[in-house]
Amino acid sequence: MGTFSIARKIAQHLKAIVFLSILVSAQMPGEQNLAPFFDFCCDLEGFSLPENTPVGTVIYRLIGHDPEGYKITYAIESGGYFAVDPDTGEITLVKAIDREQLAQELGDYIRVELSLEDEVQNSGSNNLVKFQRLIEVTDENDNSPVFVNTPYTINVDETALVGTIFNEVFVVDADKGFNSDVFLSCEPATSVTCSIFNIKEVREKEGHFTGVLTLVKSLDYETNNSYTMRIKAEDGGSVPRSSTTTITINVIDHQDVAPRFFGAPYFAEIHESESVGKSVLKVAVQDGDQGNPRQLRLELIGDILGYFVLTVTNTGNIRGPVTAELRSSGVPIDRESPTVLENGGIYSLVLRATELINSTAIGDISEANITIVVLDSNDNRPTFSHSEYIVFIPENLPNNATLPGLDIVVTDQDVGSNAEFAITLTGANTTFDVFPKRAIGSTPVTIKLLNSSNIDYEVVDRRQYKLQITATDNTGQNTTALITVNVEDANDHFPSFLNENYNLTVNENLPFGTVIATIIATDGDSGLFSHLTYSLRGNGAEKFSVGKETGRITIASCDNAPCLDAEVTSLYSLTYEARDNGGQISAVPLYIDINDVNDQQPIFQQFVYETSILEGVDHFSTPFSVRASDADSGQANNQLTYSIVRGNQAGTFAVDERTGELSLLKGVKYNDTPDRSGTFSLAVQARDNGIPSQSSQTIVQIHVLDNNTHAPKFEYNRYEGKVYELASSGTRVVQVQATDEDYGSNGRVSYNLGEGSSDNFIINSTNGWISVANNANLDRELAGGVYDLAISAADSGVPIMRSTANVSITVLDENNKSPYFSQSTYTASVRELSSRGTVVAIITANDPDETADLRYTFIEPSYGRAPSGEVYKEENTKRYYSLFNINEISGKVTVTSEIYKSDVSAVTLTIQAVDVNAITEFQQANTTLDIFIQPQTVRTPVFGGSWSSEKPEIAVTILEELPVKHTVTILSATDPSTGQPVVKFEKLRSSTGNYIDVEENGNVFVNKRIDYDTNLLLPLTLDVRAVTETGASAFATVIINVLDINDHSPQFTLDEYISEVKESARFPTLITQVRAEDKDTDYGFNLITYSLYGNGDGVENFAINNETGWISVRQGALLDREAQSVYYLQATARDNPQSATGASPQQTSVLVTIKVVDENDHSPRFEKKSYNSAAVENIQRQGTILQVIAHDDDDPTSPYGQLVYTITDRGNMGTLFSIRPNTGEIIAAENLLDQASDVPYIFQVKACDRGEPARCDTSSVSISVGRILSNDDRPRFLTPSPGGEVVAIQEDAPLGTSVFTALAYSNDDSQTAESHIEYGFQKKPVQR
């Protein structure tokens, strides 16, 4: 039993042993000595070892057993890395391990051979067990990244665009896994270089990275012409290792900076009496482009008087400045010249420097201002602005008053002390005086009245004065002027009213033109000064008209509407004025009381009321009321009754006739709305109880909101369509349709096209028609005959719901392709004197069209060769193709006449294939057939290789871009007569372009550059002849097949891609397509795959189709403009050479900028759900009370983030308040006088964005209006009456006798001091 158990263990253990050998010895006759074995736990199975394990470390302990209990010993073979204790089985590392070196030799494993041997007693043979294990050496981060091909130097033009990419940095890390990942950064990050250039690593393969250098700011050579960028490469180890290098970035100068003046602008001084050739100033100028400067030309601009000349003193070397000197020209300089004088003695010039291009001044221009101050000489006398002055003054002009209307100006055009002068006045006695007495330059002069008693209009000899004024400069030069002063009469009386004030009472419904009073005044003056005119001033004066000449007061027109309204204003306090022709005014108070008349109809607070309600509910979520008011004061006239008069056909709504609150009589149904529009439009009427009664109506719109509970549903899961491959853009192919059981925007369906269209189809987002796209290429021979499209339908609800379907479009073939021959030249041979009908060759063409029907024929040119190989020069070449015939259906070429080699050694025929079913003209192809004539007895040379007299061709394959003179092949031929090799070869003809040539010794070589990707006619051919010493010859055509190499990188069609995507876009929305082209053509060299990398966070939100380059929203991605509004991605195009070619792939990257377009996905939010404020009753109309503020997280520059504030429910405030729609300021819509209340005014405001539909939020507002402690109501007399009363008194009545008792009242609060009235006599009218 025990033996069976041990054997089973051994069998199980053998399953894990790679190699096992067992030496079994016989112990005793009939007994078998069983071999020792390792314990399952301890046989190195699956063991791995870090490469940095120190030498001498015990790394493992083997445990073995012997079935008979004999002593066992351990041994190990490991290439010197390990040693094992033969007794204990402990394995010790004895040789250092380097995984990177090991990987080059053995891979990441050390192969060991373990031995386990028992020591059999009684001189028996030992059992020796051997097996192998692979110990994995795990990587440690013991290698730092290494920069390759250093040092790095990049030359960048200063005009390089932001986003330009340079792939110049290469880094390798010998470690593996995360330890070999390399991350590049610019250090220090705050440096100027790091702010201008960005470095980003791109992984090529494990441990190999390319550093992509990107320009992020514009360059300027003149600011900085060189940058040193320190790059740090850090690996991804847990304890990272790093290395650094530098890149020298040289900025190449571009001619973009104009010349630069040194010390500009320039200033200089010169006396107006200076001599010829006076040096004024020196200037220097240099081209601003120091990296590539140009020569300059200097010009003096603006010297219109010719005062100066400019002399260039040094033209400068190529990098040095140009210097010049400005001198006086000899033209007399005059500071009083109008050009100089009007500019304050300044003479302004401009110095212009122009860059020379090919010795022509057409380059950049710079200008510097030269300001020259012309210094004065005393050569001008003072002058008056006029030689005579006349002035009129009133007789009541006071002392020290300045005579009005005089405009005396004295001017000396010199400057400084040369312009000083004295002013004197004669003939004035003590009546007048002059000011100032001394002046300088240009000075206004005034005459003052010293003694007003000397002027009197009523005294004839005091009505006029003659004065003389004199100005004398410091040299005695003087000028005089005459002044005549005339005295005029003055107006010295005010108009006078009979009464100190006037009181009137009128009805509010008086018509236009009704006379309500006539008030006049008198004036003590005579003549024009006694003529009076009348006017009214004050708040409300426009309600009345005053006869300007008569003083008659009437009701104004007020644009043909009633002017007076007691409900608006019951009292007008005005000022009545009388004015004489001299401008004297007197005024008296005028009080007009307005009697009320019942003339108002109810007015709703809003023209339209709106609210929204969910379908199915049977009550409003908040009370919803309409309110009207009636300005009449009578109880019957302003008591209102509400009713619904129109729009309630479904009987859904009711209105409280007293309060105007609306309610629901049953659950709301969307289908009950008119035409299923989703809106009930009710007409609600308010009628007063007056006789006759007045009424008005308002509109109540109640929007029923549909819940978005259904996704769009396609009619079919799969659609099929057909289209011809030549269909024009816009051709409709198939229509898909989906329906949505929701209403409104929730049921509005839009269609989107997903992958599979290859840009050849588009879908109308509204009606679902799929049609051919602009620039579509439906060539079925290139792109295939079937397109499988993915489509989606989405509603416009929140949240958006989608469904998908598939569309299969079959492209129908049209015969639009030309046929083609597989070879440009075919060769064949035929023996001379072959019988008619002998088949020479079968030449056929290919046509990709399904309906092609080809016909073959011979066409010109054709020609023959003499036995010497020379081409016959004959005009009639038809004789050559008359030797042969071609079957128009099969392309079989046969002999038609006897052919003698002595006449012709070879015939070249041109064969044409025409597609007779073509839909366009000229669907045809041509090729040539070379037929070599063989003699009856062949003694001509024989070429080696695959050549035969029946098919005299030699095929060779080469790569494109081989160097010129490179040997393609070496021809060999044998003379059958002697058996000796032919040593002379001649070129007869080569294919177009002469790319291949042959030397006399048979060396075929490249004669000029061969580029596979140009329009080469392949294969290349070369006709040669081998000539023996006896002159015998044979022909061969060398056919050279050219193979493409991967020598072009993909090139993107744009330098940068910029696109937009809505933030609500979800998988699989297409955003933009990047497209690259590769000039290579074969072996997958032009087969491009695309990939996407991120230059920051967010790349995980996007995916790219690696075949088409379409970038789309990745599945599960959620875009949010408020979180990130723009993404910068890097798209890479990589070609894919077939592995058998051994070519390395090429790749190119481009910057893709995706801007997230805001959508209305955030609702406004008020800062508070309710606002409370207080106001006082003296706030005037338009006065601000408080501001409500809401915020919206959408883009503030778009309609979705722009808010409009409105009042939605006016509550109990009527029309007292309004709200500014753009700011949320709540203002008084009318004066708050007498609106104080113990109950606050409560209403509701709403903030909505400008989206379609809008998103909104509401908040309540409570405003308490308090009374102010001020006298805001004018007292009114009960007695006397407004018309006045006459009181009688006896002439001998004693002092203190009561004559009359006046009684007045006020509407102010009786509990305040403001209701206390004091009485007194009014003073006489104030005159002004």
Side-chain angles (χ1 to χ4, degrees):
M1 187 68 179
T3 303
F4 175 78
S5 177
I6 292 173
R8 184 173 58 185
K9 284 188 175 181
I10 293 174
Q12 293 173 345
H13 192 61
L14 288 176
K15 294 180 180 179
I17 296 176
V18 177
F19 167 78
L20 175 65
S21 64
I22 304 175
L23 299 178
V24 182
S25 64
Q27 290 183 325
M28 295 179 64
E31 292 187 8
Q32 181 181 3
N33 179 25
L34 298 178
F37 62 89
F38 280 102
D39 196 302
F40 290 144
C41 70
C42 307
D43 60 356
L44 278 179
E45 176 69 24
F47 177 68
S48 61
L49 182 68
E51 64 172 323
N52 63 345
T53 303
V55 173
T57 302
V58 176
I59 63 169
Y60 201 83
R61 182 171 180 268
L62 298 171
I63 299 178
H65 302 280
D66 185 78
E68 289 81 17
Y70 296 136
K71 178 183 178 181
I72 58 176
T73 57
Y74 303 92
I76 190 170
E77 289 293 336
S78 61
Y81 285 102
F82 306 106
V84 64
D85 187 302
D87 297 322
T88 66
E90 289 184 344
I91 300 176
T92 304
L93 179 66
V94 296
K95 178 182 176 181
I97 303 174
D98 184 357
R99 188 202 63 80
E100 289 72 31
Q101 180 179 358
L102 189 67
Q104 297 175 3
E105 302 170 357
L106 303 174
D108 292 347
Y109 296 88
I110 299 175
R111 184 181 299 274
V112 300
E113 184 178 270
L114 299 177
S115 298
L116 184 63
E117 185 177 6
D118 58 8
E119 296 182 7
V120 179
Q121 299 176 0
N122 301 323
S123 301
S125 298
N126 296 341
N127 288 315
L128 179 62
V129 178
K130 293 183 178 181
F131 62 93
Q132 294 180 347
R133 283 283 187 263
L134 293 177
I135 298 178
E136 181 184 5
V137 179
T138 59
D139 184 52
E140 293 294 325
N141 193 16
D142 56 352
N143 289 277
S144 298
V146 176
F147 288 94
V148 181
N149 299 330
T150 58
Y152 300 116
T153 301
I154 299 176
N155 296 323
V156 183
D157 195 291
E158 68 173 325
T159 61
L161 299 177
V162 172
T164 300
I165 294 175
F166 311 93
N167 295 327
E168 298 288 346
V169 179
F170 305 96
V171 189
V172 297
D173 192 308
D175 293 315
K176 65 182 296 185
F178 293 117
N179 296 330
S180 68
D181 288 340
V182 177
F183 305 93
L184 299 180
S185 61
C186 178
E187 293 190 340
T190 57
S191 66
V192 174
T193 301
C194 293
S195 68
I196 295 178
F197 296 92
N198 178 48
I199 186 76
K200 183 68 176 177
E201 70 285 343
V202 175
R203 188 176 187 268
E204 302 295 340
K205 61 181 180 180
E206 184 175 60
H208 290 71
F209 290 81
T210 297
V212 177
L213 194 68
T214 305
L215 181 66
V216 296
K217 287 186 180 179
S218 298
L219 298 173
D220 183 10
Y221 177 91
E222 286 66 38
T223 302
N224 198 339
N225 60 16
S226 179
Y227 297 89
T228 299
M229 187 176 189
R230 184 171 182 265
I231 300 175
K232 178 181 178 182
E234 184 175 81
D235 63 26
S238 58
V239 179
R241 301 174 68 95
S242 64
S243 58
T244 60
T245 189
T246 58
I247 301 179
T248 301
I249 304 171
N250 298 317
V251 182
I252 300 173
D253 191 22
H254 186 80
Q255 275 290 343
D256 58 351
V257 180
R260 178 168 55 89
F261 284 93
F262 297 95
Y266 300 105
F267 299 89
E269 295 181 347
I270 188 169
H271 284 278
E272 59 181 332
S273 59
E274 284 292 353
S275 60
V276 178
K278 171 70 175 179
S279 177
V280 179
L281 61 88
K282 296 179 180 180
V283 299
V285 62
Q286 189 174 25
D287 189 353
D289 295 298
Q290 289 302 296
N292 184 23
R294 293 172 175 160
Q295 292 185 333
L296 306 177
R297 186 177 79 182
L298 291 184
E299 302 174 81
L300 188 64
I301 309 296
D303 187 11
I304 59 176
L305 300 179
Y307 288 163
F308 302 98
V309 293
L310 181 69
T311 303
V312 176
T313 57
N314 177 22
T315 58
N317 55 41
I318 191 62
R319 296 187 183 276
V322 176
T323 59
E325 186 174 19
L326 189 70
R327 295 178 175 271
S328 59
S329 67
V331 175
I333 299 175
D334 183 8
R335 188 186 181 282
E336 287 71 44
S337 166
T339 301
V340 180
L341 186 64
E342 291 173 4
N343 203 25
I346 301 297
Y347 191 54
S348 297
L349 306 175
V350 174
L351 187 60
R352 177 180 294 168
T354 307
E355 295 180 5
L356 298 179
I357 300 177
N358 296 328
S359 301
T360 304
I362 59 175
D364 292 337
I365 296 174
S366 290
E367 294 182 346
N369 294 325
I370 302 177
T371 301
I372 299 177
V373 179
V374 181
L375 303 178
D376 184 55
S377 299
N378 191 3
D379 56 353
N380 292 279
R381 68 172 61 199
T383 59
F384 285 94
S385 54
H386 299 284
S387 60
E388 183 177 0
Y389 301 89
I390 298 175
V391 64
F392 295 88
I393 62 173
E395 63 177 329
N396 59 352
L397 192 68
N399 285 336
N400 294 317
T402 299
L403 271 59
L406 278 177
D407 186 18
I408 303 175
V409 178
V410 184
T411 303
D412 191 317
Q413 292 187 350
D414 294 317
V415 296
S417 60
N418 296 331
E420 293 183 358
F421 52 87
I423 304 173
T424 57
L425 189 67
T426 57
N429 298 324
T430 59
T431 305
F432 303 97
D433 197 5
V434 64
F435 180 84
K437 297 293 191 297
R438 292 193 65 82
I440 184 170
S442 179
T443 304
V445 176
T446 59
I447 307 298
K448 289 187 177 181
L449 177 64
L450 295 182
N451 189 351
S452 60
S453 61
N454 291 339
I455 61 172
D456 189 350
Y457 183 82
E458 285 70 32
V459 179
V460 176
D461 59 357
R462 295 183 181 179
R463 289 184 179 180
Q464 187 179 71
Y465 291 86
K466 297 284 187 177
L467 312 176
Q468 180 175 293
I469 186 170
T470 304
T472 307
D473 68 11
N474 293 337
T475 64
Q477 300 180 91
N478 65 66
T479 306
T480 62
L482 179 65
I483 302 174
T484 301
V485 180
N486 297 301
V487 180
E488 294 182 317
D489 193 16
N491 178 26
D492 53 357
H493 289 87
F494 286 90
S496 175
F497 284 98
L498 179 63
N499 298 327
E500 295 179 353
N501 60 73
Y502 294 86
N503 293 275
L504 303 175
T505 300
V506 299
N507 290 334
E508 66 176 337
N509 59 349
L510 290 181
F512 159 64
T514 301
V515 178
I516 60 174
T518 299
I519 303 174
I520 59 173
T522 58
D523 191 299
D525 289 317
S526 59
L528 292 176
F529 292 135
S530 65
H531 181 74
L532 302 182
T533 58
Y534 302 95
S535 63
L536 263 179
R537 290 189 300 104
N539 187 19
E542 73 279 0
K543 305 292 184 180
F544 307 94
S545 295
V546 178
K548 184 176 181 180
E549 304 291 336
T550 63
R552 182 183 295 113
I553 303 173
T554 61
I555 303 298
S557 68
C558 295
D559 296 328
N560 298 321
C563 254
L564 306 180
D565 188 346
E567 287 76 27
V568 177
T569 304
S570 60
L571 174 67
Y572 293 93
S573 297
L574 308 175
T575 299
Y576 189 73
E577 292 183 343
R579 177 192 297 266
D580 65 20
N581 271 356
Q584 302 285 6
I585 299 173
S586 293
V588 293
L590 173 60
Y591 303 110
I592 303 176
D593 280 293
I594 309 301
N595 286 334
D596 183 47
V597 176
N598 185 21
D599 57 354
Q600 303 295 320
Q601 68 177 16
I603 298 176
F604 279 96
Q605 295 175 354
Q606 297 176 220
F607 293 112
V608 177
Y609 291 81
E610 286 189 87
T611 190
S612 298
I613 189 169
L614 290 174
E615 182 180 15
V617 302
D618 58 3
H619 64 279
F620 290 103
S621 58
T622 58
F624 181 52
S625 302
V626 297
R627 286 188 175 86
S629 59
D630 193 310
D632 289 319
S633 56
Q635 183 174 0
N637 293 335
N638 63 13
Q639 186 175 5
L640 304 179
T641 301
Y642 299 93
S643 61
I644 300 175
V645 296
R646 187 173 65 256
N648 195 23
Q649 292 86 341
T652 306
F653 304 96
V655 65
D656 188 297
E657 67 176 11
R658 184 178 61 84
T659 65
E661 182 177 351
L662 279 89
S663 59
L664 296 174
L665 299 177
K666 60 181 180 180
V668 178
K669 294 182 180 179
Y670 192 94
N671 288 337
D672 287 344
T673 61
D675 299 325
R676 296 183 66 193
S677 63
T679 300
F680 290 100
S681 185
L682 309 179
V684 178
Q685 175 181 272
R687 179 177 294 277
D688 64 25
N689 293 331
I691 299 176
S693 65
Q694 302 273 0
S695 66
S696 61
Q697 293 182 5
T698 188
I699 299 299
V700 178
Q701 291 188 341
I702 301 172
H703 305 289
V704 180
L705 303 179
D706 179 45
N707 287 320
N708 192 21
T709 56
H710 299 88
K713 185 177 181 180
F714 281 100
E715 290 180 317
Y716 309 102
N717 292 329
R718 182 177 179 83
Y719 294 82
E720 294 183 355
K722 295 181 180 180
V723 63
Y724 283 100
E725 62 177 332
L726 295 182
S728 60
S729 62
T731 300
R732 289 183 171 183
V733 181
V734 63
Q735 185 181 29
V736 299
Q737 286 189 324
T739 57
D740 194 309
E741 296 181 9
D742 293 311
Y743 304 114
S745 61
N746 293 335
R748 187 167 60 246
V749 177
S750 61
Y751 301 93
N752 184 54
L753 193 61
E755 296 184 351
S757 70
S758 299
D759 295 334
N760 288 325
F761 300 98
I762 58 175
I763 191 169
N764 186 300
S765 62
T766 303
N767 59 33
W769 266 108
I770 297 175
S771 55
V772 179
N774 290 330
N775 302 319
N777 183 5
L778 298 179
D779 189 337
R780 69 191 306 276
E781 287 76 22
L782 295 178
V786 178
Y787 290 84
D788 290 319
L789 313 182
I791 57 172
S792 63
D795 61 25
S796 301
V798 178
I800 296 174
M801 303 190 75
R802 291 180 172 84
S803 60
T804 60
N806 297 317
V807 178
S808 177
I809 298 177
T810 301
V811 179
L812 303 177
D813 184 47
E814 294 190 86
N815 194 346
N816 63 326
K817 301 294 188 305
S818 296
Y820 65 91
F821 288 98
S822 60
Q823 296 178 213
S824 60
T825 300
Y826 295 85
T827 59
S829 64
V830 64
R831 292 190 183 275
E832 63 179 338
L833 300 177
S834 293
S835 60
R836 293 180 181 178
T838 298
V839 176
V840 179
I842 298 177
I843 309 299
T844 59
N846 300 309
D847 194 310
D849 292 316
E850 293 178 348
T851 60
D853 186 5
L854 302 184
R855 297 289 186 269
Y856 301 95
T857 185
F858 290 140
I859 64 171
E860 293 186 358
S862 65
Y863 54 87
R865 293 182 183 272
S868 63
E870 300 299 324
V871 176
Y872 283 121
K873 298 180 179 179
E874 297 184 17
E875 293 183 1
N876 183 11
T877 60
K878 291 185 179 180
R879 60 168 293 202
Y880 297 113
Y881 61 75
S882 67
L883 299 175
F884 303 93
N885 178 62
I886 188 168
N887 186 290
E888 70 169 354
I889 303 298
S890 65
K892 182 185 296 184
V893 179
T894 57
V895 176
T896 60
S897 301
E898 291 183 345
I899 306 171
Y900 294 93
K901 184 173 176 61
S902 59
D903 293 335
V904 61
S905 62
V907 175
T908 298
L909 305 175
T910 303
I911 300 174
Q912 184 176 78
V914 178
D915 186 353
V916 297
N917 280 347
I919 63 174
T920 61
E921 296 181 359
F922 307 116
Q923 287 187 203
Q924 60 194 32
N926 297 338
T927 188
T928 58
L929 172 62
D930 291 337
I931 304 175
F932 296 95
I933 311 303
Q934 301 295 338
Q936 290 281 13
T937 302
V938 180
R939 302 301 294 169
T940 58
V942 178
F943 281 90
S946 60
W947 181 92
S948 67
S949 59
E950 291 76 17
K951 190 176 183 181
E953 296 177 351
I954 300 172
V956 180
T957 300
I958 65 172
L959 296 176
E960 67 166 327
E961 302 292 357
L962 291 176
V964 175
K965 298 299 183 181
H966 181 84
T967 297
V968 174
T969 188
I970 298 177
L971 300 176
S972 64
T974 303
D975 186 344
S977 301
T978 63
Q980 297 298 314
V982 175
V983 296
K984 182 179 180 181
F985 296 88
E986 297 176 351
K987 172 183 175 182
L988 298 179
R989 184 185 62 173
S990 64
S991 56
T992 303
N994 197 28
Y995 291 97
I996 303 295
D997 207 343
V998 64
E999 296 175 333
E1000 185 175 329
N1001 61 2
N1003 180 41
V1004 179
F1005 62 92
V1006 177
N1007 190 49
K1008 61 191 293 188
R1009 176 174 177 253
I1010 301 173
D1011 185 357
Y1012 184 93
D1013 306 307
T1014 59
N1015 295 323
L1016 282 178
L1017 187 60
L1018 297 177
L1020 302 176
T1021 61
L1022 176 69
D1023 290 344
V1024 298
R1025 179 172 65 179
V1027 183
T1028 67
E1029 292 181 354
T1030 61
S1033 63
F1035 302 93
T1037 297
V1038 182
I1039 300 174
I1040 299 98
N1041 297 300
V1042 181
L1043 300 181
D1044 190 19
I1045 64 173
N1046 194 18
D1047 57 340
H1048 293 92
S1049 298
Q1051 296 297 319
F1052 282 97
T1053 57
L1054 298 177
D1055 295 332
E1056 180 183 359
Y1057 291 85
I1058 301 175
S1059 187
E1060 295 180 344
V1061 61
K1062 292 182 179 180
E1063 64 177 326
S1064 65
R1066 298 294 182 265
F1067 169 82
T1069 300
L1070 299 178
I1071 302 172
T1072 187
Q1073 184 184 29
V1074 296
R1075 302 185 70 178
E1077 298 173 350
D1078 195 311
K1079 293 182 180 179
D1080 294 312
T1081 53
D1082 276 352
Y1083 306 109
F1085 297 158
N1086 64 347
L1087 181 61
I1088 297 174
T1089 58
Y1090 301 92
S1091 56
L1092 203 60
Y1093 301 93
N1095 194 9
D1097 294 336
V1099 68
E1100 66 278 0
N1101 290 320
F1102 305 96
I1104 190 169
N1105 186 304
N1106 60 4
E1107 294 181 358
T1108 65
W1110 267 106
I1111 298 174
S1112 60
V1113 179
R1114 186 183 293 274
Q1115 189 168 9
L1118 298 175
L1119 302 179
D1120 185 357
R1121 188 208 66 83
E1122 289 69 37
Q1124 187 166 349
S1125 60
V1126 63
Y1127 293 88
Y1128 298 100
L1129 311 178
Q1130 178 179 296
T1132 298
R1134 180 188 181 107
D1135 58 25
N1136 291 271
Q1138 297 173 4
S1139 58
T1141 65
S1144 298
Q1146 305 265 17
Q1147 68 180 39
T1148 307
S1149 298
V1150 71
L1151 179 65
V1152 180
T1153 301
I1154 299 178
K1155 300 177 181 178
V1156 182
V1157 178
D1158 188 37
E1159 291 197 288
N1160 200 9
D1161 57 345
H1162 292 85
S1163 296
R1165 303 182 312 279
F1166 276 103
E1167 291 182 346
K1168 301 177 182 179
K1169 294 309 293 181
S1170 63
Y1171 290 84
N1172 296 283
S1173 183
V1176 290
E1177 63 177 344
N1178 66 344
I1179 291 179
Q1180 300 297 307
R1181 182 175 178 270
Q1182 300 294 317
T1184 299
I1185 298 170
L1186 80 154
Q1187 183 179 23
V1188 296
I1189 299 176
H1191 302 280
D1192 195 309
D1193 290 336
D1194 288 315
D1195 186 355
T1197 64
S1198 73
Y1200 308 138
Q1202 298 171 357
L1203 302 184
V1204 177
Y1205 298 90
T1206 56
I1207 295 177
T1208 60
D1209 186 347
R1210 291 186 170 270
N1212 63 342
M1213 64 93 166
T1215 59
L1216 276 184
F1217 306 106
S1218 61
I1219 190 168
R1220 289 193 169 101
N1222 294 328
T1223 64
E1225 293 174 283
I1226 295 177
I1227 60 176
E1230 55 189 66
N1231 296 340
L1232 298 187
L1233 189 65
D1234 296 331
Q1235 299 298 332
S1237 173
D1238 296 332
V1239 178
Y1241 294 96
I1242 299 176
F1243 53 95
Q1244 191 175 65
V1245 294
K1246 179 167 64 173
C1248 295
D1249 59 30
R1250 298 179 186 268
E1252 294 281 345
R1255 287 175 172 261
C1256 305
D1257 190 23
T1258 59
S1259 180
S1260 65
V1261 178
S1262 174
I1263 299 177
S1264 299
V1265 179
R1267 184 181 301 279
I1268 60 172
L1269 299 179
S1270 62
N1271 191 3
D1272 58 358
D1273 190 76
R1274 183 176 67 86
R1276 305 186 185 196
F1277 280 101
L1278 294 176
T1279 57
S1281 65
E1285 294 187 22
V1286 178
V1287 178
I1289 184 174
Q1290 293 181 355
E1291 62 178 337
D1292 58 349
L1295 294 176
T1297 299
S1298 177
V1299 177
F1300 182 80
T1301 300
L1303 181 61
Y1305 70 94
S1306 171
N1307 287 326
D1308 285 321
D1309 190 347
S1310 62
Q1311 303 299 319
T1312 65
E1314 283 70 31
S1315 64
H1316 176 70
I1317 299 175
E1318 293 183 354
Y1319 299 87
F1321 290 110
Q1322 185 176 355
K1323 297 179 180 179
K1324 289 185 176 295
V1326 178
Q1327 295 179 342
R1328 58 184 178 89

